[in-house]
Amino acid sequence: QVQLVESGGGLVQPGGSLRLSCAASGSIFSISSMGWYRQAPGKQRELVAAVTTGGSINYADSVMGRFTISRDNTKNTVDMQINSLSDEDTAVYYCNCNARRAAWASTRDYWGQGTQVTVSS
């Protein structure tokens, strides 16, 4: 199995910053993409940002220019610097990777346990 462990969430004031980190471990044959999703209370989980092995990055429109995702393919880690936070960014943030755990296995999504980001004064 592939395990994802996140860190870096917390309580921050509007306009503040946080850095989220995620490390993938376990039986990993290959990872095609890594990224972050979030789910606010009463809302569906949504993509925040993702980066492929080749370096292609996709951001949600709502975070463009404020969030920066980065990935280390050698360490199977993905970080996200989040700046200029507002109340609307309050959510549980989930790390995601699309990976194969063996050469014979199919590609599937794996999820971390989630880390809470709360923006409040």
Side-chain angles (χ1 to χ4, degrees):
Q1 286 292 341
V2 176
Q3 294 86 39
L4 297 173
V5 178
E6 304 123 330
S7 61
L11 174 64
V12 63
Q13 292 185 342
S17 299
L18 283 174
R19 187 173 183 85
L20 305 182
S21 298
C22 174
S25 63
S27 178
I28 299 173
F29 176 75
S30 66
I31 298 177
S32 57
S33 69
M34 296 188 77
W36 293 90
Y37 286 68
R38 68 185 181 185
Q39 187 167 18
K43 295 186 178 181
Q44 291 187 333
R45 190 173 298 188
E46 62 175 0
L47 172 68
V48 177
V51 53
T52 67
T53 302
S56 296
I57 295 175
N58 184 30
Y59 289 106
D61 289 344
S62 59
V63 308
M64 193 80 71
R66 300 187 298 121
F67 291 18
T68 303
I69 191 170
S70 59
R71 176 178 168 182
D72 187 330
N73 292 334
T74 64
K75 297 180 180 178
N76 290 330
T77 59
V78 63
D79 295 341
M80 187 165 68
Q81 179 68 36
I82 51 181
N83 300 325
S84 302
L85 284 159
S86 71
D87 295 349
E88 295 181 349
D89 297 313
T90 294
V92 178
Y93 285 70
Y94 295 92
C95 181
N96 166 270
C97 77
N98 189 257
R100 295 170 68 188
R101 61 185 181 93
W104 50 262
S106 58
T107 300
R108 55 156 287 187
D109 282 325
Y110 293 89
W111 297 91
Q113 78 283 1
T115 185
Q116 177 71 46
V117 172
T118 302
V119 184
S120 175
S121 56

